[in-house]
Coordinates of all heavy atoms in Angstrom, one line a residue:
M894 N -15.0 -2.0 0.3 CA -14.1 -1.5 -0.7 C -13.2 -2.6 -1.2 O -12.6 -3.3 -0.3 CB -13.3 -0.3 -0.2 CG -12.4 0.3 -1.1 SD -11.4 1.7 -0.3 CE -12.6 2.9 0.0
G895 N -13.1 -2.7 -2.5 CA -12.2 -3.8 -3.0 C -10.9 -3.1 -3.4 O -10.6 -2.0 -3.4
L896 N -10.0 -4.0 -3.9 CA -8.6 -3.6 -4.4 C -8.7 -2.7 -5.6 O -7.9 -1.7 -5.6 CB -7.8 -4.8 -4.8 CG -7.1 -5.5 -3.6 CD1 -6.2 -6.6 -4.2 CD2 -6.1 -4.6 -2.9
D897 N -9.8 -2.8 -6.4 CA -9.9 -1.9 -7.5 C -10.2 -0.4 -7.1 O -9.5 0.6 -7.6 CB -11.1 -2.2 -8.4 CG -10.8 -3.5 -9.3 OD1 -9.6 -3.7 -9.6 OD2 -11.8 -4.2 -9.7
E898 N -11.0 -0.3 -6.1 CA -11.3 1.0 -5.5 C -10.1 1.6 -4.7 O -9.8 2.8 -4.9 CB -12.5 0.9 -4.5 CG -13.9 0.6 -5.2 CD -14.9 0.4 -4.2 OE1 -15.1 -0.7 -3.8 OE2 -15.7 1.3 -3.9
I899 N -9.5 0.8 -4.0 CA -8.2 1.3 -3.3 C -7.1 1.7 -4.4 O -6.5 2.7 -4.1 CB -7.7 0.2 -2.4 CG1 -8.7 -0.1 -1.2 CG2 -6.2 0.5 -1.9 CD1 -8.4 -1.3 -0.4
A900 N -7.0 0.9 -5.4 CA -6.0 1.4 -6.4 C -6.4 2.7 -7.0 O -5.5 3.5 -7.2 CB -6.0 0.2 -7.5
G901 N -7.7 2.9 -7.3 CA -8.1 4.2 -7.8 C -7.8 5.3 -6.8 O -7.3 6.4 -7.3
L902 N -8.0 5.2 -5.6 CA -7.7 6.2 -4.6 C -6.2 6.4 -4.6 O -5.7 7.6 -4.5 CB -8.1 5.8 -3.2 CG -9.6 5.8 -3.0 CD1 -9.9 5.1 -1.6 CD2 -10.2 7.1 -3.1
L903 N -5.3 5.4 -4.6 CA -3.9 5.6 -4.5 C -3.3 6.2 -5.9 O -2.3 6.9 -5.8 CB -3.2 4.3 -4.3 CG -3.5 3.7 -2.8 CD1 -2.9 2.3 -2.7 CD2 -2.9 4.6 -1.8
R904 N -4.0 5.9 -7.0 CA -3.6 6.5 -8.2 C -3.6 8.1 -8.1 O -2.7 8.8 -8.7 CB -4.4 6.1 -9.4 CG -4.0 4.8 -9.9 CD -4.8 4.4 -11.2 NE -4.6 3.0 -11.5 CZ -5.5 2.1 -11.1 NH1 -6.8 2.3 -10.7 NH2 -5.2 0.7 -11.5
K905 N -4.6 8.6 -7.5 CA -4.6 10.1 -7.3 C -3.4 10.6 -6.6 O -2.9 11.6 -6.9 CB -5.9 10.5 -6.5 CG -7.2 10.2 -7.3 CD -8.4 10.5 -6.5 CE -9.7 10.1 -7.2 NZ -10.9 10.2 -6.4
G906 N -3.0 9.9 -5.5 CA -1.8 10.3 -4.8 C -0.5 10.1 -5.6 O 0.4 11.0 -5.6
L907 N -0.5 9.0 -6.4 CA 0.7 8.8 -7.2 C 0.8 9.9 -8.4 O 1.9 10.1 -8.8 CB 0.6 7.4 -7.9 CG 0.8 6.3 -6.9 CD1 0.4 4.9 -7.5 CD2 2.2 6.2 -6.3
E908 N -0.3 10.4 -8.8 CA -0.3 11.4 -9.9 C 0.4 12.7 -9.3 O 1.2 13.3 -10.0 CB -1.7 11.8 -10.3 CG -2.3 10.7 -11.2 CD -3.8 10.9 -11.5 OE1 -4.3 12.0 -11.1 OE2 -4.4 10.0 -12.2
R909 N 0.1 13.0 -8.0 CA 0.7 14.1 -7.3 C 2.2 13.9 -7.0 O 3.0 14.7 -7.1 CB 0.0 14.5 -6.1 CG -1.3 15.1 -6.2 CD -1.9 15.7 -4.9 NE -1.6 14.7 -3.8 CZ -2.4 13.9 -3.2 NH1 -3.5 13.6 -3.8 NH2 -2.1 13.2 -2.2
K910 N 2.4 12.7 -6.6 CA 3.8 12.3 -6.1 C 4.2 10.9 -6.5 O 4.0 10.0 -5.6 CB 3.8 12.5 -4.5 CG 5.1 12.5 -3.8 CD 5.6 13.8 -3.6 CE 6.9 13.7 -2.8 NZ 7.5 14.9 -2.7
P911 N 4.7 10.7 -7.7 CA 5.0 9.4 -8.0 C 6.2 8.8 -7.1 O 7.0 9.5 -6.6 CB 5.6 9.5 -9.5 CG 5.1 10.9 -9.9 CD 4.9 11.7 -8.7
L912 N 6.1 7.5 -7.0 CA 7.1 6.8 -6.2 C 8.4 6.5 -7.0 O 8.2 6.1 -8.3 CB 6.6 5.4 -5.7 CG 5.5 5.5 -4.6 CD1 5.0 4.1 -4.3 CD2 6.0 6.1 -3.4
S913 N 9.5 6.6 -6.5 CA 10.7 6.2 -7.2 C 11.0 4.8 -7.0 O 11.9 4.2 -7.7 CB 11.9 7.1 -6.7 OG 12.1 6.9 -5.2
D914 N 10.4 4.1 -6.0 CA 10.6 2.7 -5.8 C 9.1 2.0 -5.9 O 8.1 2.7 -6.2 CB 11.1 2.4 -4.3 CG 12.4 3.1 -4.1 OD1 13.3 2.7 -4.7 OD2 12.4 4.1 -3.4
S915 N 9.1 0.6 -5.7 CA 7.8 0.0 -5.8 C 7.4 -0.6 -4.5 O 8.3 -1.1 -3.6 CB 7.9 -1.1 -6.9 OG 8.9 -2.0 -6.6
I916 N 6.1 -0.6 -4.2 CA 5.6 -1.2 -3.0 C 4.4 -2.1 -3.4 O 3.6 -1.8 -4.3 CB 5.0 -0.1 -2.1 CG1 6.0 0.9 -1.7 CG2 4.2 -0.7 -0.9 CD1 5.4 2.2 -0.9
K917 N 4.5 -3.3 -2.9 CA 3.4 -4.3 -3.1 C 2.6 -4.5 -1.8 O 3.1 -4.7 -0.7 CB 3.9 -5.7 -3.5 CG 2.8 -6.7 -3.8 CD 3.3 -8.1 -4.0 CE 4.6 -8.4 -4.7 NZ 4.8 -9.8 -4.9
F918 N 1.3 -4.4 -2.0 CA 0.4 -4.8 -0.9 C -0.1 -6.2 -1.2 O -0.8 -6.5 -2.2 CB -0.9 -3.8 -0.8 CG -0.5 -2.4 -0.4 CD1 -0.5 -1.5 -1.3 CD2 -0.3 -2.2 1.0 CE1 -0.1 -0.2 -0.8 CE2 0.1 -0.9 1.4 CZ 0.2 0.2 0.5
D919 N 0.2 -7.1 -0.3 CA -0.2 -8.5 -0.4 C -1.3 -8.8 0.5 O -1.1 -8.9 1.7 CB 1.0 -9.5 -0.2 CG 0.8 -10.9 -0.5 OD1 -0.5 -11.2 -0.7 OD2 1.7 -11.8 -0.6
C920 N -2.5 -9.0 -0.1 CA -3.7 -9.2 0.7 C -4.1 -10.7 0.7 O -5.3 -11.0 0.7 CB -4.9 -8.4 0.3 SG -4.5 -6.6 0.5
G921 N -3.1 -11.6 0.4 CA -3.4 -13.0 0.3 C -4.3 -13.4 -0.7 O -4.2 -13.0 -1.9
S922 N -5.4 -14.2 -0.4 CA -6.3 -14.6 -1.4 C -7.2 -13.5 -2.0 O -7.8 -13.7 -3.0 CB -7.3 -15.7 -0.8 OG -7.9 -15.2 0.2
D923 N -7.1 -12.3 -1.4 CA -7.9 -11.2 -1.9 C -7.1 -10.5 -3.1 O -7.7 -9.6 -3.7 CB -8.2 -10.1 -0.9 CG -9.3 -10.7 0.0 OD1 -10.3 -11.3 -0.4 OD2 -9.2 -10.5 1.4
G924 N -5.8 -10.7 -3.3 CA -5.1 -10.2 -4.4 C -4.0 -9.3 -4.0 O -3.6 -9.1 -2.7
Q925 N -3.3 -8.8 -5.0 CA -2.1 -8.0 -4.7 C -2.3 -6.7 -5.5 O -2.8 -6.6 -6.5 CB -0.8 -8.7 -5.2 CG -0.4 -9.9 -4.4 CD -1.2 -11.1 -4.7 OE1 -1.6 -11.3 -5.8 NE2 -1.4 -12.0 -3.7
L926 N -1.6 -5.7 -4.9 CA -1.6 -4.4 -5.5 C -0.3 -3.8 -5.5 O 0.4 -3.7 -4.4 CB -2.6 -3.4 -4.7 CG -2.6 -1.9 -5.1 CD1 -3.1 -1.7 -6.5 CD2 -3.5 -1.2 -4.1
V927 N 0.3 -3.4 -6.7 CA 1.6 -2.9 -6.7 C 1.6 -1.4 -7.1 O 1.0 -1.1 -8.1 CB 2.5 -3.8 -7.6 CG1 3.9 -3.2 -7.8 CG2 2.6 -5.2 -7.2
L928 N 2.3 -0.6 -6.4 CA 2.5 0.8 -6.7 C 3.9 1.0 -7.2 O 4.9 0.6 -6.5 CB 2.2 1.6 -5.4 CG 1.0 1.4 -4.6 CD1 1.0 2.2 -3.4 CD2 -0.2 1.5 -5.5
S929 N 4.0 1.6 -8.3 CA 5.4 2.0 -8.9 C 5.2 3.2 -9.8 O 4.4 3.3 -10.6 CB 5.8 0.8 -9.7 OG 7.1 1.0 -10.3
G930 N 6.1 4.1 -9.6 CA 6.0 5.3 -10.4 C 4.6 6.1 -10.1 O 4.3 6.3 -9.0
D931 N 3.9 6.2 -11.2 CA 2.5 6.8 -11.0 C 1.5 5.7 -11.3 O 0.4 6.1 -11.6 CB 2.4 8.0 -11.9 CG 2.5 7.7 -13.4 OD1 2.8 6.5 -13.7 OD2 2.2 8.6 -14.2
Q932 N 1.9 4.5 -11.3 CA 0.9 3.4 -11.5 C 0.5 2.6 -10.3 O 1.3 2.4 -9.3 CB 1.7 2.4 -12.5 CG 2.1 2.9 -13.8 CD 0.9 3.3 -14.6 OE1 0.1 2.5 -14.9 NE2 0.9 4.5 -15.2
A933 N -0.7 2.1 -10.3 CA -1.3 1.2 -9.3 C -1.8 0.0 -10.0 O -2.8 0.1 -10.7 CB -2.3 1.9 -8.4
M934 N -1.1 -1.1 -9.9 CA -1.4 -2.3 -10.8 C -2.0 -3.4 -9.9 O -1.3 -3.8 -8.9 CB -0.2 -2.7 -11.5 CG 0.4 -1.6 -12.4 SD 2.0 -2.0 -12.9 CE 2.9 -1.5 -11.4
L935 N -2.9 -4.1 -10.3 CA -3.4 -5.3 -9.6 C -2.8 -6.5 -10.2 O -3.3 -7.3 -10.9 CB -5.0 -5.4 -9.8 CG -5.8 -4.3 -9.2 CD1 -7.3 -4.4 -9.5 CD2 -5.5 -4.1 -7.8
Q936 N -1.5 -6.7 -9.8 CA -0.6 -7.7 -10.4 C 0.2 -8.2 -9.2 O 0.6 -7.5 -8.3 CB 0.2 -7.3 -11.5 CG -0.5 -6.8 -12.6 CD 0.5 -6.3 -13.8 OE1 1.7 -6.2 -13.6 NE2 -0.1 -5.8 -14.8
D937 N 0.6 -9.5 -9.3 CA 1.6 -10.1 -8.4 C 2.9 -10.1 -9.1 O 3.3 -11.1 -9.6 CB 1.2 -11.4 -8.0 CG 2.0 -12.0 -6.8 OD1 2.9 -11.3 -6.3 OD2 1.9 -13.2 -6.6
I938 N 3.6 -8.9 -9.0 CA 5.0 -8.8 -9.6 C 5.9 -8.4 -8.5 O 5.5 -7.9 -7.4 CB 5.0 -7.8 -10.7 CG1 4.5 -6.4 -10.2 CG2 4.2 -8.3 -11.8 CD1 4.6 -5.3 -11.3
P939 N 7.2 -8.6 -8.6 CA 8.3 -8.3 -7.6 C 8.2 -6.8 -7.3 O 8.0 -6.0 -8.2 CB 9.6 -8.7 -8.2 CG 9.2 -9.7 -9.3 CD 7.9 -9.3 -9.8
A940 N 8.5 -6.4 -6.1 CA 8.5 -5.0 -5.7 C 9.7 -4.9 -4.7 O 10.2 -5.8 -4.1 CB 7.2 -4.6 -5.0
D941 N 10.1 -3.6 -4.5 CA 11.2 -3.3 -3.5 C 10.8 -3.6 -2.1 O 11.6 -3.9 -1.3 CB 11.6 -1.8 -3.7 CG 12.1 -1.5 -5.1 OD1 13.0 -2.2 -5.5 OD2 11.7 -0.5 -5.7
C942 N 9.5 -3.4 -1.8 CA 9.1 -3.6 -0.5 C 7.6 -4.3 -0.5 O 6.8 -3.8 -1.4 CB 8.9 -2.3 0.2 SG 8.1 -2.4 1.8
T943 N 7.4 -5.3 0.2 CA 6.1 -6.0 0.3 C 5.5 -5.7 1.6 O 6.1 -6.1 2.6 CB 6.2 -7.4 -0.1 OG1 6.7 -7.6 -1.4 CG2 4.9 -8.2 0.0
I944 N 4.2 -5.3 1.6 CA 3.5 -5.1 2.9 C 2.3 -6.1 2.8 O 1.5 -6.1 1.9 CB 2.9 -3.7 3.0 CG1 4.1 -2.6 3.0 CG2 2.1 -3.5 4.2 CD1 3.6 -1.2 3.0
S945 N 2.4 -7.1 3.8 CA 1.3 -8.2 3.9 C 0.3 -7.7 5.0 O 0.7 -7.5 6.1 CB 2.0 -9.4 4.2 OG 2.9 -9.8 3.2
L946 N -0.9 -7.7 4.5 CA -2.0 -7.4 5.5 C -3.3 -7.9 4.8 O -3.4 -8.1 3.7 CB -2.0 -5.9 5.8 CG -2.5 -4.9 4.8 CD1 -2.7 -3.5 5.5 CD2 -1.6 -4.7 3.7
S947 N -4.4 -7.9 5.6 CA -5.7 -8.3 5.2 C -6.2 -7.1 4.4 O -5.9 -6.0 4.5 CB -6.6 -8.6 6.3 OG -6.9 -7.5 7.1
L948 N -7.3 -7.4 3.5 CA -7.9 -6.3 2.7 C -8.7 -5.4 3.6 O -8.5 -4.2 3.5 CB -8.9 -7.0 1.7 CG -9.6 -6.1 0.8 CD1 -8.6 -5.2 0.0 CD2 -10.4 -6.9 -0.2
P949 N -9.4 -5.8 4.7 CA -10.0 -4.9 5.6 C -9.0 -3.9 6.2 O -9.3 -2.7 6.4 CB -10.7 -5.8 6.6 CG -11.0 -7.0 5.9 CD -9.8 -7.3 5.0
N950 N -7.8 -4.5 6.7 CA -6.8 -3.6 7.2 C -6.1 -2.6 6.2 O -5.8 -1.5 6.6 CB -5.7 -4.5 7.9 CG -6.2 -5.0 9.3 OD1 -7.1 -4.5 9.9 ND2 -5.6 -6.1 9.8
L951 N -6.0 -3.1 5.0 CA -5.5 -2.2 3.9 C -6.6 -1.0 3.7 O -6.1 0.1 3.7 CB -5.3 -2.9 2.6 CG -4.9 -2.0 1.4 CD1 -3.7 -1.2 1.7 CD2 -4.7 -2.9 0.2
E952 N -7.9 -1.3 3.8 CA -8.8 -0.3 3.7 C -8.8 0.7 4.8 O -8.8 2.0 4.6 CB -10.2 -0.9 3.5 CG -11.3 0.0 3.5 CD -12.7 -0.6 3.3 OE1 -12.8 -1.8 3.1 OE2 -13.7 0.3 3.4
K953 N -8.6 0.2 6.0 CA -8.5 1.1 7.1 C -7.2 1.9 7.1 O -7.2 3.1 7.4 CB -8.4 0.2 8.5 CG -9.8 -0.4 8.8 CD -9.5 -1.3 10.1 CE -10.8 -2.2 10.3 NZ -10.5 -3.1 11.4
L954 N -6.1 1.3 6.6 CA -4.9 2.1 6.4 C -5.0 3.3 5.5 O -4.6 4.4 5.7 CB -3.7 1.1 6.0 CG -2.4 1.6 5.8 CD1 -1.7 1.9 7.1 CD2 -1.5 0.7 5.0
I955 N -5.7 2.9 4.3 CA -5.8 3.9 3.3 C -6.7 5.1 3.8 O -6.5 6.3 3.5 CB -6.4 3.3 2.0 CG1 -5.5 2.3 1.5 CG2 -6.8 4.4 1.0 CD1 -4.1 2.7 1.2
K956 N -7.8 4.7 4.6 CA -8.7 5.7 5.1 C -8.1 6.5 6.3 O -8.8 7.4 6.9 CB -10.0 5.1 5.5 CG -10.8 4.5 4.3 CD -12.1 3.9 4.8 CE -13.0 3.6 3.6 NZ -14.3 3.0 4.0
G957 N -6.9 6.1 6.8 CA -6.4 6.8 8.0 C -6.9 6.2 9.2 O -6.7 6.9 10.3
K958 N -7.6 5.1 9.3 CA -8.3 4.6 10.5 C -7.3 3.5 11.2 O -7.7 2.8 12.1 CB -9.6 4.0 10.2 CG -10.5 5.1 9.8 CD -11.9 4.6 9.5 CE -12.8 5.7 9.2 NZ -14.2 5.2 8.9
L959 N -6.1 3.2 10.6 CA -5.2 2.2 11.1 C -3.8 2.8 11.1 O -3.3 3.3 10.1 CB -5.2 1.0 10.2 CG -4.2 -0.2 10.7 CD1 -4.7 -0.7 12.0 CD2 -4.2 -1.3 9.6
N960 N -3.3 3.0 12.3 CA -1.9 3.5 12.4 C -0.9 2.5 11.9 O -0.8 1.4 12.5 CB -1.6 3.9 13.9 CG -0.3 4.4 14.1 OD1 0.7 3.8 13.8 ND2 -0.2 5.6 14.7
P961 N -0.1 2.8 10.9 CA 0.8 1.9 10.4 C 1.9 1.3 11.4 O 2.1 0.1 11.4 CB 1.5 2.5 9.2 CG 1.0 4.0 9.1 CD 0.0 4.1 10.2
M962 N 2.3 2.2 12.2 CA 3.3 1.8 13.2 C 2.7 0.8 14.3 O 3.3 -0.2 14.7 CB 4.0 2.9 14.0 CG 4.8 3.8 13.1 SD 6.1 2.8 12.3 CE 7.0 4.0 11.4
M963 N 1.4 1.1 14.7 CA 0.8 0.2 15.6 C 0.4 -1.0 15.0 O 0.5 -2.1 15.6 CB -0.5 1.0 16.2 CG -1.1 0.2 17.3 SD 0.0 0.1 18.7 CE -0.7 1.4 19.7
A964 N 0.0 -1.1 13.7 CA -0.4 -2.2 13.0 C 0.8 -3.1 12.8 O 0.8 -4.4 13.0 CB -0.9 -1.9 11.6
F965 N 2.0 -2.6 12.6 CA 3.2 -3.3 12.4 C 3.7 -4.0 13.8 O 4.0 -5.1 13.9 CB 4.4 -2.3 11.9 CG 5.7 -3.1 11.8 CD1 6.0 -3.9 10.7 CD2 6.7 -2.9 12.7 CE1 7.2 -4.6 10.7 CE2 7.9 -3.5 12.6 CZ 8.1 -4.4 11.6
A966 N 3.5 -3.1 14.8 CA 3.9 -3.6 16.2 C 3.0 -4.7 16.7 O 3.5 -5.7 17.4 CB 3.9 -2.4 17.2
T967 N 1.7 -4.7 16.3 CA 0.8 -5.7 16.7 C 0.7 -6.8 15.8 O -0.2 -7.8 16.0 CB -0.6 -5.1 17.0 OG1 -1.0 -4.4 15.7 CG2 -0.6 -4.0 18.1
G968 N 1.4 -6.8 14.7 CA 1.4 -7.9 13.7 C 0.2 -7.9 12.7 O 0.0 -8.8 11.9
K969 N -0.5 -6.8 12.6 CA -1.6 -6.7 11.6 C -1.0 -6.5 10.3 O -1.7 -6.7 9.3 CB -2.6 -5.5 12.0 CG -3.4 -5.8 13.2 CD -4.3 -4.7 13.5 CE -5.2 -5.1 14.7 NZ -6.1 -4.0 15.1
L970 N 0.2 -6.0 10.2 CA 0.9 -5.9 8.9 C 2.4 -6.3 9.0 O 2.9 -6.1 10.1 CB 0.7 -4.5 8.2 CG 1.4 -3.3 8.8 CD1 2.8 -3.2 8.3 CD2 0.7 -2.1 8.3
K971 N 2.8 -6.8 7.9 CA 4.3 -7.3 8.0 C 4.9 -6.7 6.8 O 4.3 -6.5 5.7 CB 4.3 -8.8 7.9 CG 3.8 -9.5 9.2 CD 3.8 -11.0 9.0 CE 3.5 -11.6 10.3 NZ 2.2 -12.3 10.4
V972 N 6.2 -6.3 6.9 CA 7.0 -5.7 5.9 C 8.1 -6.5 5.6 O 8.9 -6.9 6.4 CB 7.4 -4.3 6.4 CG1 8.3 -3.6 5.3 CG2 6.3 -3.3 6.8
A973 N 8.3 -6.8 4.2 CA 9.5 -7.5 3.8 C 10.1 -6.7 2.8 O 9.5 -5.9 2.0 CB 9.1 -8.9 3.1
G974 N 11.5 -6.7 2.7 CA 12.3 -5.9 1.7 C 12.7 -4.6 2.3 O 13.0 -4.6 3.6
D975 N 12.8 -3.6 1.6 CA 13.4 -2.3 2.0 C 12.3 -1.5 2.8 O 11.3 -1.0 2.3 CB 13.7 -1.5 0.8 CG 14.6 -0.2 1.1 OD1 14.5 0.2 2.3 OD2 15.2 0.3 0.2
M976 N 12.5 -1.4 4.1 CA 11.5 -0.7 5.0 C 11.5 0.7 4.8 O 10.4 1.4 5.0 CB 11.9 -1.0 6.5 CG 11.4 -2.4 7.0 SD 11.5 -2.6 8.6 CE 9.8 -2.4 9.1
T977 N 12.5 1.4 4.3 CA 12.5 2.8 3.9 C 11.6 3.1 2.9 O 10.9 4.2 2.9 CB 13.9 3.3 3.6 OG1 14.4 2.7 2.5 CG2 14.9 3.2 4.7
V978 N 11.3 2.2 1.9 CA 10.3 2.3 0.9 C 8.9 2.4 1.5 O 8.1 3.2 1.1 CB 10.4 1.2 -0.2 CG1 9.3 1.3 -1.2 CG2 11.8 1.3 -0.8
A979 N 8.6 1.6 2.5 CA 7.3 1.5 3.2 C 7.0 2.9 3.8 O 5.9 3.4 3.8 CB 7.3 0.4 4.2
M980 N 8.1 3.6 4.3 CA 7.9 4.9 4.9 C 7.4 5.9 3.9 O 6.7 6.9 4.3 CB 9.2 5.3 5.5 CG 9.7 4.4 6.6 SD 8.5 4.2 7.9 CE 9.4 3.8 9.3
K981 N 7.7 5.8 2.6 CA 7.3 6.7 1.6 C 5.8 6.6 1.4 O 5.2 7.5 0.8 CB 8.0 6.4 0.3 CG 9.5 6.6 0.4 CD 10.3 6.3 -1.0 CE 11.8 6.4 -0.8 NZ 12.4 6.1 -2.1
L982 N 5.1 5.6 1.8 CA 3.8 5.4 1.7 C 2.9 6.6 2.2 O 2.0 7.0 1.7 CB 3.2 4.1 2.2 CG 1.8 3.7 2.1 CD1 1.4 3.6 0.6 CD2 1.6 2.4 2.8
S983 N 3.5 7.1 3.3 CA 2.7 8.2 4.1 C 2.5 9.4 3.0 O 1.5 10.1 3.2 CB 3.5 8.6 5.2 OG 4.7 9.2 5.0
Q984 N 3.4 9.6 2.1 CA 3.2 10.8 1.2 C 1.9 10.5 0.4 O 1.4 11.6 0.0 CB 4.4 11.0 0.4 CG 4.6 9.9 -0.7 CD 6.1 10.1 -1.2 OE1 7.0 10.7 -0.8 NE2 6.2 9.3 -2.4
L985 N 1.5 9.4 0.1 CA 0.4 9.1 -0.7 C -1.0 9.2 0.1 O -2.0 9.4 -0.5 CB 0.4 7.7 -1.3 CG 1.5 7.4 -2.2 CD1 1.5 5.8 -2.6 CD2 1.5 8.2 -3.5
L986 N -0.9 9.1 1.3 CA -2.0 9.0 2.1 C -2.4 10.4 2.7 O -3.4 10.4 3.4 CB -1.9 8.0 3.3 CG -1.4 6.6 2.9 CD1 -1.2 5.7 4.1 CD2 -2.5 6.0 2.0
K987 N -1.7 11.4 2.4 CA -2.1 12.8 2.9 C -3.2 13.3 2.0 O -3.4 13.1 0.9 CB -0.8 13.7 2.7 CG 0.2 13.2 3.8 CD 1.4 14.1 3.7 CE 2.4 13.6 4.7 NZ 3.6 14.5 4.7

């Protein structure tokens, strides 16, 4: 699954529950995905919170196969910026 497909899945959640802040997933050389309002954009633009992780781990996170707290604790994902914004991500993954 690529960033395009992940963006498509997240758009569905954003349509139901738009974000009031912005979250960037930084997958390094695989690209960046920014969620803001009801948009999921494949751009490297500033965001309120940046979550850095590999593309395979982002896919696992979206599919519910990676616990975000455990991934953070083990260094599989890193959060920069407003951590409370990262917590809002769970509303999209339901």
